[in-house]
Amino acid sequence: MAKFSKIYLILLFERYTLFHDRLKNIEENEDGLDKFSKSYKTFGVNQLLDGGLYCREWAPGAEAVFLTGDFNDWNPFSHPYKKMDYGKWELIIPPGQDGFSPVPHGSKLKVVIRSKNGEILYRISPWAKYVARVGTNVNYDWIHWNPPLPYLRKHPQPKKPKSLRIYESHVGIASPEGKVASYKNFTYNILPKIKDLGYNCVQLMAIMEHAYYASFGYQITSFFAASSRYGTPDDLKELIDIAHSLGITVLLDVVHSHASNNSEDGLNKFDGTDSCFFHSGPRGTHNLWDSRLFDYSNWEVLRFLLSNLRWWIEEYGFDGFRFDGVTSMLYHHHGIGTGFSGDYHEYFGLHVDEDALVYLIMANHMIHLLHPESITVAEDVSGMPALCCPIAQGGAGFDYRLAMAIPDKWIQIIKELKDEDWNMGNIVHTLTNRRYEEKYIAYAESHDQALVGDKTLAFWLMDAEMYTNMSVLSPLTPVIDRGIQLHKMIRLITHALGGEAYLNFMGNEFGHPEWLDFPRKGNNESYHYARRQFHLADDHILRYRFLNAFDRDMNKLEERFGWLASPPAFVTENHESNKVIIFERANLIFIFNFHPSKSYTEYRVGAETPGKYKITLDSDAPEYGGHQRLDHNTEYFTEQYSHNFRSNSLLAYIPSRVAIVLQNMDIKN
């Protein structure tokens, strides 16, 4: 074991050396990482101080490059770029006779590429800041965005939260109406809800422009453009600014793992070759996603992607990123048909894409160097070791990683097992199976479980009865009662035991009754399922409000006690036959009785810290749709009777299907 650990450390050191060598090369040849990653200020079309335009592109496979658009009546060859070294091209357009830019705000533009085989291609610049479908156009138009009075931020960015409670969101579906919702709607109707629910972070998905709405934002066509289907870039800036005024951190779901194979609207074949930005041949295509894969060893690809990260932070005010598809990036096999058992040989070897790994390390280094308050999250299902360890230790430098095994475990349990067959030890193992000092984001379900073809936890638990029996005016059926109680318990135990941060997908906090399905040919372009029915949680006649209230109070309790920022919980009990799980964290005792019918009187509960305890959260309370079987005036006094490896213990009544949180009243919080 010691020998293997030594090999493991050597391999981590080799990864650090690879990163350091590449960074050193940048420092020596590009005047530093700061300049290298600020290329968004020089590439694309940029306004010059004297009123002219400076245009720069990277098109190594092009024979000639031109700029055309409204400003020259779409003459394709009147404005040629000058060829530079290393496949770069530049064009300077002087100001007009009036001293103003010849390309006014709102003008349509195209890059014209003459390929080496003589083909003329009309392309959107990879660095385009705003693209939109105009009128009935099928394709996107590149629109020069340079408003005379751009949005100016009014509020400072909040400090990095110690306890991260994330509300995963999609702007376009954030409305009960069957349409694409707007940035404005999210700003003024959804952000107040998020604040009230106790979340301190919003993770925005589907922001980077994607031509195909039903891709859920994961087939990016324009990496520097905020999606125009929700509004203007200034509308997004306002959204982030208002979120900051509420003390809410905003993360961008960034997709650097692949790109859309769309060549009319996207990066694919920009210069007429299949190798610009991407690997040529089979290595440059993801077989399952039908998308293009970046060549992370290429100097200009690194420039493009690192600049992209800085653009979203510095131009829009994002506070960090959730990196999508990290597993696909880390391995040449992209995780396709591969099961990860945790054996270290699965994470080291020729099957690891070292170029992609070094890019991720470099991205984290740059983000945290230039913006120390920023947060980075890795979506990795493989369990790559040290992904969230410091770079100096050979890690990749992420702040958090998603605990992706947890939602899969809950779905498996609910689908395959009767309540009396739930395995308490297996639940605890899944929730606590993480490497020490690598921070995990726990979640019971995300957008993945809400998509058509799967079901949310609420749907798995209550299914069709959600349409008929969620009114308080109708009798409480066994199915609805079971679903409401287990929904609360699953979310609380995941929140308190599963990690160092917590995530919820919008609407799932109140058990949204329907899945997600975006308008497409297969559903006759319907928006019926591409919406979130927030009004259901506001209706006092419906039982959804009980789940909503519990989610809010669960978050508020974490805000008070900070268990996510505390050391991992100490599990004192996972009793199989009793179906009871008990653990301590942040000076609180969490008690869960998953048994469908058995309640326990005078149940002995271990407690390390002596004192008087009282109930501070009770899933059985009537305001949460519970049965009010516990007296909240009860005081629980510990006695010096050791139990389950704790120095003290107390006796408590634990009803069936109930979660209880006890607070030590002798400790000030």
Side-chain angles (χ1 to χ4, degrees):
M1 184 67 183
K3 182 179 179 181
F4 187 80
S5 298
K6 185 176 180 180
I7 294 173
Y8 168 51
L9 292 172
I10 290 172
L11 291 168
L12 288 179
F13 179 74
E14 287 180 353
R15 290 182 176 178
Y16 174 76
T17 302
L18 282 171
F19 152 72
H20 188 268
D21 288 347
R22 186 156 296 176
L23 183 63
K24 183 179 179 182
N25 207 333
I26 289 175
E27 298 289 350
E28 291 176 348
N29 296 292
E30 295 286 341
D31 297 326
L33 183 62
D34 181 54
K35 181 178 178 182
F36 183 81
S37 61
K38 205 180 281 185
S39 299
Y40 68 81
K41 290 186 177 292
T42 54
F43 274 75
V45 173
N46 297 279
Q47 198 79 25
L48 295 179
L49 292 177
D50 61 2
L53 281 182
Y54 176 70
C55 311
R56 198 178 189 190
E57 298 291 349
W58 180 62
E63 187 68 30
V65 179
F66 308 87
L67 185 71
T68 188
D70 293 336
F71 76 99
N72 68 352
D73 295 325
W74 293 97
N75 183 329
F77 307 120
S78 66
H79 288 73
Y81 284 68
K82 176 185 175 182
K83 189 173 184 178
M84 302 169 66
D85 293 334
Y86 309 112
K88 297 174 188 175
W89 303 78
E90 74 172 13
L91 167 66
I92 298 176
I93 304 178
Q97 293 182 352
D98 56 4
F100 291 99
S101 169
V103 183
H105 169 65
S107 300
K108 295 180 184 178
L109 299 169
K110 283 282 188 182
V111 175
V112 181
I113 303 284
R114 181 190 292 144
S115 70
K116 291 185 178 179
N117 63 8
E119 187 179 7
I120 301 298
L121 306 170
Y122 287 80
R123 296 289 191 246
I124 292 174
S125 171
W127 305 80
K129 310 303 188 293
Y130 185 60
V131 298
R133 277 203 182 106
V134 179
T136 58
N137 289 359
V138 174
N139 295 116
Y140 275 79
D141 286 303
W142 171 22
I143 299 173
H144 181 50
W145 186 262
N146 185 40
L149 295 173
Y151 184 85
L152 298 176
R153 294 180 208 163
K154 302 175 180 65
H155 306 284
Q157 292 179 263
K159 293 290 185 181
K160 184 188 300 186
K162 291 182 179 179
S163 293
L164 197 62
R165 301 181 299 274
I166 304 171
Y167 198 78
E168 185 185 29
S169 305
H170 186 293
V171 169
I173 66 171
S175 164
E177 300 178 66
K179 65 177 185 179
V180 178
S182 67
Y183 293 124
K184 291 281 189 183
N185 168 72
F186 197 94
T187 302
Y188 294 103
N189 294 326
I190 308 304
L191 284 178
K193 291 181 183 290
I194 296 170
K195 178 67 175 179
D196 178 66
L197 283 167
Y199 292 93
N200 57 14
C201 178
V202 172
Q203 180 180 299
L204 291 178
M205 57 199 315
I207 294 297
M208 301 168 76
E209 190 60 270
H210 48 293
Y212 185 44
Y213 189 45
S215 74
F216 216 157
Y218 292 118
Q219 293 279 343
I220 306 301
T221 45
S222 290
F223 283 74
F224 284 81
S227 183
S228 60
R229 54 172 56 88
Y230 318 128
T232 68
D234 282 1
D235 291 341
L236 176 58
K237 291 176 184 179
E238 180 189 35
L239 185 162
I240 296 169
D241 196 27
I242 297 298
H244 288 166
S245 75
L246 298 172
I248 296 174
T249 293
V250 187
L251 302 182
L252 174 67
D253 199 343
V254 71
V255 186
H256 282 183
S257 50
H258 64 130
S260 171
N261 68 4
N262 181 334
S263 58
E264 292 295 325
D265 302 310
L267 293 183
N268 191 26
K269 298 182 179 179
F270 172 69
D271 65 355
T273 72
D274 74 337
S275 59
C276 187
F277 291 101
F278 310 110
H279 288 291
S280 181
R283 188 180 174 188
T285 302
H286 195 292
N287 293 332
L288 291 184
W289 296 344
D290 190 28
S291 54
R292 300 305 315 278
L293 299 173
F294 288 105
D295 179 0
Y296 301 102
S297 67
N298 189 293
W299 216 241
E300 296 304 324
V301 173
L302 291 177
R303 188 191 305 275
F304 179 78
L305 295 176
L306 291 173
S307 293
N308 189 235
L309 297 173
R310 288 196 69 174
W311 165 257
W312 290 109
I313 291 175
E314 295 174 5
E315 180 70 15
Y316 283 94
F318 278 100
D319 304 293
F321 305 98
R322 178 261 200 189
F323 282 76
D324 179 70
V326 167
T327 305
S328 176
M329 298 174 70
L330 290 175
Y331 308 97
H332 292 298
H333 54 62
H334 309 300
I336 300 173
T338 304
F340 293 93
S341 66
D343 190 293
Y344 283 103
H345 293 289
E346 296 167 349
Y347 310 114
F348 299 96
L350 297 178
H351 55 288
V352 175
D353 189 334
E354 298 285 2
D355 290 324
L357 178 58
V358 169
Y359 162 67
L360 290 172
I361 296 172
M362 191 175 296
N364 279 306
H365 172 74
M366 180 199 74
I367 291 166
H368 293 114
L369 175 70
L370 300 176
H371 301 280
E373 291 297 314
S374 293
I375 298 167
T376 59
V377 178
E379 188 223 18
D380 169 46
V381 73
S382 76
M384 168 73 79
L387 207 59
C388 295
C389 286
I391 294 170
Q393 297 178 10
F398 283 99
D399 294 299
Y400 297 90
R401 65 194 306 162
L402 291 172
M404 301 184 72
I406 295 176
D408 291 342
K409 176 57 64 175
W410 286 124
I411 296 296
Q412 179 208 355
I413 290 171
I414 293 171
K415 283 174 62 177
E416 300 177 4
L417 300 176
K418 297 178 181 178
D419 290 8
E420 53 268 28
D421 294 331
W422 286 25
N423 187 305
M424 300 296 103
N426 187 245
I427 291 172
V428 168
H429 173 74
T430 302
L431 289 170
T432 58
N433 183 27
R434 56 189 185 271
R435 292 185 181 88
Y436 185 64
E437 291 192 343
E438 283 200 84
K439 294 181 180 180
Y440 280 67
I441 298 174
Y443 58 106
E445 52 187 340
S446 68
H447 71 271
D448 288 327
Q449 287 73 40
L451 291 171
V452 65
D454 201 347
K455 294 181 181 180
T456 62
L457 285 176
F459 230 155
W460 280 114
L461 290 166
M462 296 178 277
D463 208 51
E465 286 202 26
M466 297 187 76
Y467 294 110
T468 57
N469 298 323
M470 287 299 278
S471 170
V472 296
L473 302 179
S474 63
L476 181 64
T477 66
V479 169
I480 296 297
D481 185 31
R482 171 181 179 267
I484 287 177
Q485 310 317 325
L486 288 179
H487 193 273
K488 293 178 291 185
M489 296 179 71
I490 288 170
R491 299 176 88 74
L492 178 59
I493 196 171
T494 301
H495 201 310
L497 187 59
E500 289 69 40
Y502 178 75
L503 178 142
N504 165 67
F505 179 65
M506 62 189 311
N508 287 357
E509 69 275 5
F510 63 84
H512 198 282
E514 291 177 335
W515 55 88
L516 282 172
D517 189 14
F518 284 78
R520 53 188 174 83
K521 289 183 179 179
N523 63 12
N524 295 319
E525 304 295 337
S526 172
Y527 284 87
H528 179 75
Y529 296 108
R531 61 195 180 111
R532 296 276 92 179
Q533 302 177 66
F534 291 105
H535 61 283
L536 297 176
D538 299 329
D539 192 332
H540 286 271
I541 299 251
L542 299 178
R543 293 187 168 100
Y544 296 104
R545 68 182 172 90
F546 299 140
L547 299 178
N548 196 73
F550 183 80
D551 197 81
R552 179 194 63 224
D553 291 350
M554 174 178 68
N555 282 321
K556 298 289 187 183
L557 187 64
E558 197 289 325
E559 189 173 4
R560 280 177 56 203
F561 289 91
W563 63 67
L564 291 171
S566 299
F570 187 94
V571 180
T572 59
E573 183 165 339
N574 51 82
H575 199 294
E576 295 302 338
S577 58
N578 290 347
K579 303 302 176 194
V580 170
I581 297 173
I582 303 174
F583 58 88
E584 293 175 285
R585 194 175 187 186
N587 293 316
L588 297 171
I589 299 177
F590 295 82
I591 304 170
F592 295 83
N593 179 6
F594 283 97
H595 202 287
S597 58
K598 286 185 180 180
S599 299
Y600 305 103
T601 58
E602 296 191 337
Y603 199 94
R604 188 162 292 278
V605 176
E608 185 61 28
T609 306
K612 178 179 72 175
Y613 286 79
K614 293 193 71 172
I615 295 172
T616 190
L617 185 65
D618 167 22
S619 70
D620 204 42
E623 61 266 31
Y624 309 138
H627 299 288
Q628 202 173 355
R629 288 169 288 178
L630 289 164
D631 182 357
H632 289 200
N633 292 318
T634 301
E635 297 177 338
Y636 303 87
F637 292 92
T638 60
E639 52 185 313
Q640 289 183 332
Y641 185 96
S642 62
H643 182 69
N644 287 341
F645 305 102
R646 308 314 268 165
S647 303
N648 305 280
S649 60
L650 55 84
L651 298 176
Y653 169 49
I654 312 175
S656 62
R657 281 200 188 123
V658 160
I660 311 165
V661 183
L662 299 180
Q663 173 189 356
N664 190 323
M665 304 306 293
D666 296 337
I667 298 177
K668 292 183 179 181
N669 292 284

